[in-house]
Amino acid sequence: MALLAVFGSLEAEVLPWALVRVSVAHVRENPGHASEMGSQVIMGTPLKVTSEKNGWYGIETPEGYRGYVIGNSLKLLTEDDMRRWRSSDRAVVTSIDQTYIYKPDLDPDRGVGTKNFRLQRISDVVNGSVLEILPVKRGEDMVSVRLPDGREGVMRSADVENLIEWKQRATDIDAVIDFATALMGTPYLWGGTSTKSMDCSGLTKIAYLSQGLILPRNASQQAKTGVSIPMADRSAFRKGDLLFFGNKDTGRINHVGMYIGNDKFIHCAGRVRVNSLDQNAPDYMALSLLAVRRLDPNTMKSLSLAVHPWF
């Protein structure tokens, strides 16, 4: 049922759901562009809408993060709209690099990357974006898609995968690490959770999302996920374990990285980079390790997009 929200002289119908309609939308802590960005959401992410004020919508993300998104980044949906979207043929963007959606009337004989082809772009998209698939043939190497705002276009079929098939695959930890290392050098952005730029917990979140797992948003929340691994013996660490750093005196966690083997971990500190836990290594970084967590099979099953009711 639609809710009616009244803010002073402003009266607006607040529909219960929304899809992100741009490649990456900022989630603010309060309704306003000057407010701190606490997170991001990417195209095709389903959101619960809780309120509206002056064009800003209070939202909740699939992992439970709450904040505000400007209305022109969202496509508001009714319950019926959401049921139709959930039952539609959909694909997830699996390209690690940013890719593009083009006008549907392009000439498939024109090579992607030529000047004329670039002029036909209608949107960029990033890894993890969800799009509807249309049953229209646009050349052997292209697939027809519908964006959340209703626009239709085409994109490389190699850059997407059927959502149902993708979310039912077993988690491949090596693929998680490969995804993270492919982002080496990407700049740090406070609140960033996309492949364009990210913070430390944003990196671990999108790396695991590439394998269909929805991690909590922040490092302190991720530190409560999975099972605890003793820190004393680093030989017990496994690839994909999450390493949490912070203040030893207070126990406050403020940073997270991912173990990749051989005493090394990948994290986003200034940029995505690899450092060592070994104090004698040339790439050692002096951080206080406070906790190690492993996503065991039961945890991975509970975090899987395959069991999330919004998808």
Side-chain angles (χ1 to χ4, degrees), residues 15-298:
L15 299 180
W17 294 98
L19 293 175
V20 181
R21 62 189 295 174
V22 295
S23 62
V24 180
H26 301 328
V27 182
R28 303 285 179 183
E29 296 296 295
N30 292 291
H33 288 294
S35 179
E36 178 183 359
M37 185 178 79
S39 190
Q40 293 177 320
V41 281
I42 59 178
M43 183 179 288
T45 302
L47 306 171
K48 267 189 179 177
V49 179
T50 58
S51 64
E52 189 275 347
K53 184 175 183 179
N54 298 329
W56 287 86
Y57 288 84
I59 59 91
E60 180 181 337
T61 67
E63 69 271 21
Y65 190 90
R66 291 177 175 267
Y68 297 86
V69 177
I70 188 67
N72 58 18
S73 294
L74 302 175
K75 172 64 176 178
L76 299 178
L77 303 176
T78 64
E79 291 283 3
D80 286 343
D81 292 332
M82 273 301 293
R83 279 191 287 269
R84 186 202 64 78
W85 181 76
R86 289 182 185 130
S87 64
S88 65
D89 291 331
R90 290 167 293 163
V92 61
V93 176
T94 52
S95 171
I96 294 176
D97 297 320
Q98 176 177 299
T99 188
Y100 298 93
I101 300 172
Y102 301 91
K103 290 182 180 180
D105 57 350
L106 61 83
D107 181 351
D109 292 329
R110 286 179 175 171
V112 173
T114 65
K115 181 178 180 181
N116 289 335
F117 203 102
R118 287 197 298 270
L119 292 176
Q120 298 183 69
R121 290 176 182 170
I122 63 173
S123 181
D124 65 318
V125 282
V126 297
N127 185 274
S129 301
V130 177
L131 304 162
E132 289 186 58
I133 296 296
L134 301 176
V136 181
K137 297 295 184 181
R138 299 289 184 180
E140 292 184 2
D141 299 327
M142 309 297 284
V143 60
S144 297
V145 297
R146 179 184 290 122
L147 285 69
D149 61 10
R151 287 180 296 162
E152 297 181 3
V154 296
M155 62 185 301
R156 294 184 185 95
S157 55
D159 290 341
V160 296
E161 188 172 331
N162 178 276
L163 180 65
I164 293 177
E165 296 175 2
W166 175 80
K167 68 183 183 180
Q168 291 178 344
R169 291 185 313 190
T171 302
D172 183 342
I173 296 300
D174 286 332
V176 173
I177 293 172
D178 288 346
F179 184 92
T181 53
L183 297 172
M184 288 283 285
T186 304
Y188 179 96
L189 175 67
W190 178 274
T193 57
S194 80
T195 52
K196 292 186 177 185
S197 51
M198 72 288 296
D199 57 22
C200 63
S201 55
L203 174 62
T204 52
K205 181 172 174 55
I206 63 175
Y208 269 101
L209 181 62
S210 72
Q211 286 291 299
L213 302 185
I214 305 176
L215 265 61
R217 170 62 189 96
N218 296 321
S220 59
Q221 297 168 327
Q222 293 178 7
K224 300 174 183 178
T225 304
V227 296
S228 179
I229 303 300
M231 295 185 294
D233 181 11
R234 294 204 299 268
S235 66
F237 294 2
R238 294 183 190 169
K239 291 181 179 181
D241 286 351
L242 298 180
L243 310 182
F244 297 93
F245 307 90
N247 188 311
K248 276 191 174 181
D249 294 331
T250 65
R252 182 176 180 272
I253 289 171
N254 55 29
H255 191 63
V256 60
M258 185 191 309
Y259 190 69
I260 61 174
N262 299 317
D263 276 344
K264 295 186 181 296
F265 64 100
I266 189 166
H267 61 141
C268 193
R271 66 182 187 277
V272 178
R273 59 201 295 172
V274 171
N275 285 103
S276 179
L277 296 168
D278 183 355
Q279 296 185 22
N280 297 315
D283 55 353
Y284 170 71
M285 179 174 281
L287 297 170
S288 296
L289 184 63
L290 300 184
V292 181
R293 305 289 291 193
R294 179 171 300 154
L295 302 186
D296 60 299
N298 287 335

